Amino acid sequence: MAIGYTLMTEQRDPRSLVTDGALAERAGFDFAACSDHYFPWLREQGHAPYAWAVLGAVAAGTERMGLMSYVTCPTFRYHPAVVAQKAATVAQMSGGRFLLGLGSGENLNEHVVGRGWPPVNVRHEMFGEALIIIRQLLDGESVSFVGEHYRTDSARLHDLPETRVPLGVAVSGTQGVGLFGASADAMIAVQPDRGLVRHFDAVTGMDLPKIGQQPICWDPDRDEAIRRAHEQFRWFGGGWKVNAELPGPAGFAAATRFVRPEDVAEAIPCGPDTARHVEALRPWAQAGYSHVALVQIGGESQPEFLEYARDELLPALRREYGGVPEHWLTAA
């Protein structure tokens, strides 16, 4: 299993994220997954810088570690032709270490451009068209496209990496796998669902990477870890169908007002116990995921966490789930 580190833009300013990325590579993480938000989930998190500037800087400041967006919505804030250009640029800057992670988005981030938030079937139509445009552009084609939702006029990318940028597609159920699995070079999901993995393998006919994400809250003081996880990550248990629909941090605060600290501590490993953090990845391994990106909750805790990860957590994870892959995308 490849072990990743999450550059969580919702809880960190851009300069600190770039520093964290370099420290994560030195600590030994295989890849870094960068969230792409316009808003934090909760006001207590306090940040939301432009992810693509961060990715470019991290690409320039690292040499080995894989990079990916986790995930970018290519249908509202960004036109798919622009997403393809951004992805090709970061892939070039990183020497081919970049995977473009794509998803159909959340109202939280996409409402800002004033286009409304249509029902899920329309969002899926838009996402399907976006995938067509992005794949063709990354293949080096000149693309004139007329769809129900998007048009391009003789679009073409003039700076492409030596190998095509791989696409990871975020799915939350079998419907998404059926609609978009054939367009994916990797599967991205937020739940360790074995059935989803099997369905993806059946649709693609290949053993492609499956990438998950696991929040933890390491701290020498378990009570402090629980307090911080509840303050900043109580939204996590809402489930994708709820999280995709809420319009802003105030909505997430209202939806989670009855979530207790002990509820969060039951769902997310909190405190200094390395064995608990290692065990949190067990469901992902059993479900067949090849990659898991850790989310350390709490922006100011990142430097100390990265030292802990280098000295204790990553060696323990390697012992339990395997060694370092030769290339971060060949761990499937």
Side-chain angles (χ1 to χ4, degrees), residues 148-161:
E148 183 71 23
H149 303 283
Y150 297 105
R151 291 180 174 230
T152 61
D153 180 11
S154 304
R156 186 169 186 174
L157 300 179
H158 290 272
D159 287 280
L160 288 165

Side-chain angles (χ1 to χ4, degrees), residues 184-199:
D185 301 302
M187 185 186 93
I188 301 170
V190 295
Q191 295 293 333
D193 187 333
R194 179 62 179 167
L196 207 59
V197 168
R198 288 174 175 166
H199 190 51

